[in-house]
Amino acid sequence: MARRRKRKSQYGLKSPRRGFRWWWPLGGFSGLIVVILIVLAGGYIWARGSLPELNGEMQLTGLAGPVEVVRDGHAIPHIYAESTNDAVFAMGFVHAQDRLWQMEFQRRVGAGRLSELFGEDTLKIDRFLRTLGVYRSAEHNFANLEPDARAVYEAYAAGVNAFLTTRDGPLPPEFLLLSHEPEPWRPADSIVWLKMMAWDLGGNALDEALRARMAQNLSAEQINQLWPGYPEDGPPVLRSNAAPDLPWAALAAILPPRPPEGLGSNNWVLAGEHTASGNALLANDPHLGLQIPSLWYLAHLSAPGLEVAGATLPGVPMPVLGRTPNFAWGFTNTNPDVQDLFIERLHPDDADRYLVPGGSAAFETRQETIRVKDGSDEELTVRETRHGPVVSDIISGSGEFLHAGHVIAFAWTALRDDDLSAQAAVRIGLAEDWDSFIAILRDFHAPQQNIVFADIHGNIGYFAPGRVPIRRSGNGWMPSIGWTGEHDWVGFIPPAALPRLFNPRSGRIVTANNKVVGPNYPYFITRDWTAPHRALQIGALLDTEAQHTVESFAAIQADITSRAAQTLLPRLLELTPSGSETAHEALNRLAAWDHVMAADRVEPLIYVAWLRELMRALFADELKGAFNDYWSIREGAILEALKPGSAWCDDTATATSEDCAVTASKALERALQYLAERYGSNVDGWSWGEAHYAYSEHEVLGRVPGLGPLFEIRLANGGAGNTVNAASFTVRDEKIPFAQNHGPAYRAIYDLDPLGQSLFIHNTGQSGNPLSSHYRDFAEMWRDGEYVPLLMNRAQIESASIGTLRLSP
């Protein structure tokens, strides 16, 4: 690809990175500290050559017509092209300018190719994802797309590759540290990241494996109490006598760790009769892991038949959340049960076959080669069953399952060759109205989402597209017997029967991962609906205003009142004796507390630390080795366990029955001692924000000893996982149990007046390059509930532009 610069270019922005926490090895960068010091001390000016060009003219092979990329004052690109394919070509080019390392890391995660860069530390991750065959599935999905959708992915890949072949400066710092040169981008590299997003939003197989481990020590009734709300008429714990005796702990060792607590999102929409402007208003804030750079990248694309702005995923051609001149949309997760673990029985006389209804079948096999940096290649034989790939084979030796005569297969809707989610992802911004919007979303197969809609004509709507399996029996609560066929998937919920709502009489729609169907809905979606604390609070706050505005929506998104604390704390205060003087003071503080999880208050810290210790006191002895995977702040389970006569308050170490009041009191004392050791003996000096800081970590540079803090973000923050402004943490992390690692990394409010004030923000900055002034410039705005305007008017955009880059064929 030839490039000609027609006038002097100006530098000033961007680069890359990314990855969810379980995909990262521990350590491995200590030896690079000297290299980093050299780069910082002597190579700063040279390294700034990795920042993108914002002004100038470039000729790029692959374009059909001219394109202009105008960066507004927040470094958000506004792409003006003469065709959709040229617009997404430029999107690929710009993503590569700003987030190349993030894109590289993401595609290697999905492809199971991290060990080529990081050696043996990432072999566990690569083995698992190669066994699932996620990248193979992405390749098959691309081949099955309709020609226009394939063309979009091909144009985007061409844009990424145009950047790779025409850059004349150094690569971003991560590439330099790893001595790595990126390969050309392929369309499947984009699609595989959509699948990994589907993993994060539909990973209920982890709970299946966890409950199977618990079944070895607990009764079905006890397990049900650990997940309150389980339906009374649900299937019992495994009927098979063989299944509970399988080595479920060994299986847990090869499954990825549990994601951060509080996975979820909010969206809501009001019709014009409830707004001050008379136009529909829509709000959305998806909750995912915090990282730097953000998972999200803001962009605006404009071409004949295309006018869309919002949140893109670096590596994916089009905004997946946003608005057009005619409508806006937002996503939350339904927590669908779209994964099952199937227990397959081996043929007693032939280990290469497994039992199926009416006989046996041979395993299908494929070979995977995992290249390992500074090590030997690893050859992996993957066996496939009629339910999916065999994941138990990658347990070290796999002898425990094989000795028991079984293997475990993994079924997941996103692994189907005919998954067309990638097609819906690039067409959603091309819809013209509700009907075409719904038609496009019929291809959105994985994961199922709650999608709200509003248009400039005053219409509001809701649709939950996605493939949710219909099982012959059972509901995926536990691993299923595979050889009888009684738990097989026999289809998916028909598209016409998926939950849908259009212009309800109430003039409002609210979703916050709460249950979205009533008791008479004929199909099973999930039993893992999130407790309705956020949904109830959003509804209550909507009730406080007769006419809402963008500003009132912003205030709702920033709300940090804990309805879970309102429910649980009175029971704890009623139950718990005063104990020590410090405990007495703590109880008095909590009794006067307004349940607001404010960063500058001590009560939220005492409350959460108490619940952390109470979870351990109630459940650790019974759950044994499975406790750590279960350990999170589960208010519903605590309420269930504190009921009169509860067996969970029994101390098995002394074999005496303890009163729950004693258990709660001891947990409070331990919590207060823990806090004193960490934050000093002066309770007035404690604050929630000191312990609960929003933590966005750089997955490579952040792990360099001594220098990591230079590349991360730590901001004292309020909220909790169950507040509208969700701010989740991982209490099982002994080092930083309260640090926020999850939350609304993207927030948006859409005013459906064509010229209305729409707003958006994400949690870091547009650039992934630490040398850029836009690496973290959104962070404090995001923490403080502030926004930047979602501009689609060119005059407004150019009035604050920091550069215009002109691309031509």
Side-chain angles (χ1 to χ4, degrees):
M1 296 183 185
R3 163 174 143 178
R4 184 175 77 251
R5 202 175 282 136
K6 296 184 179 178
R7 71 169 187 254
K8 187 176 179 179
S9 296
Q10 179 179 340
Y11 289 27
L13 203 52
K14 316 289 148 269
S15 177
R17 194 239 86 206
R18 144 149 199 93
F20 290 0
R21 278 167 172 53
W22 69 269
W23 296 329
W24 188 253
L26 297 176
F29 283 90
S30 300
L32 296 174
I33 190 168
V34 175
V35 177
I36 294 173
L37 288 172
I38 293 172
V39 170
L40 292 176
Y44 176 74
I45 295 176
W46 173 78
R48 281 184 61 83
S50 63
L51 297 172
E53 299 183 34
L54 304 184
N55 287 290
E57 299 186 5
M58 299 173 61
Q59 287 186 325
L60 301 174
T61 301
L63 279 175
V67 177
E68 289 184 307
V69 180
V70 182
R71 307 265 187 160
D72 67 22
H74 299 287
I76 298 167
H78 301 262
I79 296 170
Y80 298 94
E82 296 180 356
S83 70
T84 294
N85 285 351
D86 277 354
V88 296
F89 177 102
M91 188 76 263
F93 186 90
V94 170
H95 272 161
Q97 282 187 306
D98 291 347
R99 301 285 187 93
L100 184 62
W101 169 252
Q102 182 178 32
M103 296 164 65
E104 176 71 10
F105 191 85
Q106 288 171 175
R107 67 170 168 174
R108 284 185 171 273
V109 167
R113 295 181 59 193
L114 289 175
S115 298
E116 295 176 22
L117 298 184
F118 306 115
E120 294 184 356
D121 287 335
T122 51
L123 268 174
K124 172 184 171 180
I125 303 161
D126 287 348
R127 289 187 192 110
F128 183 74
L129 291 169
R130 290 288 189 94
T131 297
L132 291 191
V134 180
Y135 197 85
R136 294 175 70 254
S137 177
E139 291 177 311
H140 294 157
N141 293 165
F142 174 71
N144 288 330
L145 300 182
E146 293 181 8
D148 66 300
R150 284 202 306 272
V152 167
Y153 285 97
E154 289 167 342
Y156 179 86
V160 177
N161 293 329
F163 172 78
L164 294 176
T165 58
T166 59
R167 64 176 182 82
D168 59 3
L171 285 164
E174 298 90 342
F175 291 94
L176 301 178
L177 293 176
L178 295 167
S179 301
H180 175 61
E181 186 80 19
E183 300 170 357
W185 194 264
R186 303 175 61 215
D189 295 336
S190 297
I191 297 173
V192 79
W193 193 243
L194 292 173
K195 290 193 174 293
M196 296 316 299
M197 293 294 294
W199 170 270
D200 272 3
L201 298 170
N204 53 288
L206 300 177
D207 277 337
E208 287 187 37
L210 177 58
R211 287 187 284 264
R213 291 170 66 189
M214 292 177 175
Q216 296 175 314
N217 301 304
L218 303 179
S219 68
E221 181 181 1
Q222 287 175 304
I223 294 175
N224 293 345
Q225 291 170 352
L226 295 172
W227 279 270
Y230 180 71
E232 294 181 0
D233 58 350
V237 175
L238 293 167
R239 291 186 175 91
S240 166
N241 292 328
D245 297 328
L246 293 176
W248 294 108
L251 180 65
I254 61 98
L255 292 174
R258 305 186 65 75
E261 301 163 23
L263 194 71
S265 309
N266 304 316
N267 62 23
W268 66 92
V269 58
L270 287 184
E273 65 261 30
H274 300 299
T275 71
S277 68
N279 304 302
L281 285 175
L282 187 151
N284 185 208
D285 53 291
H287 308 160
L288 292 164
L290 300 185
Q291 58 184 55
I292 188 167
S294 174
L295 173 68
W296 303 103
Y297 180 90
L298 308 178
H300 166 215
L301 290 80
S302 179
L306 173 69
E307 193 75 35
V308 61
T312 69
L313 294 167
V316 179
M318 292 274 202
V320 295
L321 301 167
R323 72 160 296 173
T324 74
N326 295 327
F327 70 92
W329 75 98
F331 285 19
T332 71
N333 194 22
T334 62
N335 298 318
D337 193 333
V338 294
Q339 296 176 351
D340 277 347
L341 297 175
F342 280 94
I343 306 164
E344 308 287 9
R345 178 172 287 175
L346 298 177
H347 191 289
D349 300 319
D350 188 348
D352 293 328
R353 301 181 69 83
Y354 66 102
L355 301 187
V356 299
S360 67
F363 290 101
E364 296 182 9
T365 62
R366 55 182 162 87
Q367 295 297 125
E368 298 280 347
T369 300
I370 303 175
R371 293 183 171 83
V372 183
K373 183 179 181 179
D374 300 326
S376 301
D377 291 355
E378 180 171 304
E379 299 296 328
L380 183 67
T381 300
V382 178
R383 296 193 290 179
E384 299 261 2
T385 73
R386 66 194 186 94
H387 294 120
V390 174
V391 293
S392 56
D393 281 353
I394 56 176
I395 296 171
S396 179
S398 68
E400 293 176 277
F401 273 93
L402 296 178
H403 181 73
H406 297 85
V407 295
I408 305 299
F410 190 101
W412 181 25
T413 55
L415 294 180
R416 291 176 59 94
D417 289 348
D418 62 351
D419 177 12
L420 295 177
S421 301
Q423 186 160 283
V426 296
R427 287 179 172 175
I428 192 169
L430 301 174
E432 297 179 356
D433 54 24
W434 170 252
D435 290 337
S436 59
F437 184 75
I438 292 297
I440 287 169
L441 288 174
R442 288 195 182 98
D443 289 337
F444 194 91
H445 294 157
Q448 187 188 40
Q449 295 285 282
N450 299 306
I451 303 180
V452 295
F453 168 98
D455 68 22
I456 59 173
H457 306 296
N459 298 306
I460 64 172
Y462 162 84
F463 185 38
R467 281 179 171 161
V468 181
I470 299 172
R471 298 164 175 87
R472 184 168 283 118
S473 66
N475 62 8
W477 170 248
M478 297 285 283
S480 302
I481 301 302
W483 59 89
T484 66
E486 62 183 301
H487 299 291
D488 283 2
W489 296 0
V490 294
F492 302 102
I493 296 177
L498 291 167
R500 186 185 309 187
L501 189 62
F502 189 62
N503 287 335
R505 290 184 180 180
S506 66
R508 77 163 62 165
I509 302 169
V510 176
T511 86
N513 316 114
N514 53 301
K515 190 172 184 179
V516 299
V517 293
N520 296 322
Y521 185 70
Y523 298 101
F524 174 78
I525 294 177
T526 181
R527 51 97 40 229
D528 290 325
W529 308 106
T530 297
H533 302 302
R534 284 182 283 114
L536 290 170
Q537 183 68 1
I538 292 168
L541 293 172
L542 290 175
D543 288 341
T544 63
E545 301 279 347
Q547 303 292 313
H548 277 275
T549 63
V550 168
E551 290 75 19
S552 68
F553 269 35
I556 295 174
Q557 286 190 331
D559 185 79
I560 52 174
T561 302
S562 173
R563 282 185 168 249
Q566 290 175 354
T567 301
L568 175 59
L569 188 55
R571 171 62 178 151
L572 289 175
L573 294 175
E574 174 188 57
L575 181 72
T576 309
S578 294
S580 68
E581 182 178 346
T582 305
H584 179 73
E585 179 187 352
L587 291 170
N588 285 340
R589 287 176 182 266
L590 292 174
W593 179 41
D594 59 4
H595 312 107
V596 175
M597 305 292 291
D600 62 351
R601 297 288 297 273
V602 63
E603 294 88 353
L605 180 58
I606 295 173
Y607 172 71
V608 173
W610 186 8
L611 297 192
R612 180 175 186 260
E613 292 300 330
L614 190 53
M615 286 290 300
R616 183 170 12 213
L618 290 169
F619 304 121
D621 53 351
E622 286 87 351
L623 298 188
K624 298 180 171 48
F627 172 70
N628 201 58
D629 283 342
Y630 179 75
W631 195 12
S632 63
I633 303 299
R634 300 174 183 259
E635 286 95 340
I638 291 174
L639 272 172
E640 186 75 19
L642 294 180
K643 288 181 177 179
S646 167
W648 297 106
C649 294
D650 176 67
D651 186 347
T652 57
T654 61
T656 60
S657 178
E658 289 189 359
D659 183 84
C660 286
V662 176
T663 302
S665 181
K666 287 183 177 180
L668 177 59
E669 296 285 3
R670 283 193 293 268
L672 293 170
Q673 180 181 355
Y674 173 85
L675 295 177
E677 291 171 354
R678 284 216 164 190
Y679 306 111
S681 58
N682 180 14
V683 178
D684 289 328
W686 300 349
S687 70
W688 179 227
E690 182 180 2
H692 181 257
Y693 49 85
Y695 183 37
S696 299
E697 182 183 31
H698 192 295
E699 296 288 4
V700 175
L701 303 178
R703 298 182 184 265
V704 178
L707 296 180
L710 297 175
F711 308 107
E712 65 187 29
I713 295 174
R714 296 191 182 206
L715 296 170
N717 201 20
N722 49 44
T723 59
V724 177
N725 185 1
S728 299
F729 42 92
T730 304
V731 295
R732 62 180 177 271
D733 186 330
E734 293 288 355
K735 292 183 178 179
I736 50 173
F738 309 122
Q740 180 188 350
N741 53 15
H742 192 274
Y746 172 71
R747 296 190 189 101
I749 301 171
Y750 307 104
D751 181 342
L752 270 299
D753 180 336
L755 300 177
Q757 183 188 21
S758 292
L759 306 170
F760 56 178
I761 194 75
H762 64 68
N763 65 302
T764 62
Q766 286 286 90
S767 177
N769 193 323
L771 301 177
S772 169
S773 61
H774 297 287
Y775 180 65
R776 62 180 102 213
D777 56 326
F778 286 162
E780 290 191 7
M781 297 173 62
W782 169 83
R783 188 269 312 272
D784 295 338
E786 299 174 4
Y787 302 78
V788 299
L790 191 159
L791 299 175
M792 300 179 75
N793 179 283
R794 185 154 187 176
Q796 291 177 322
I797 293 162
E798 292 184 341
S799 68
S801 169
I802 61 173
T804 298
L805 183 64
R806 293 177 174 84
L807 310 177
S808 60

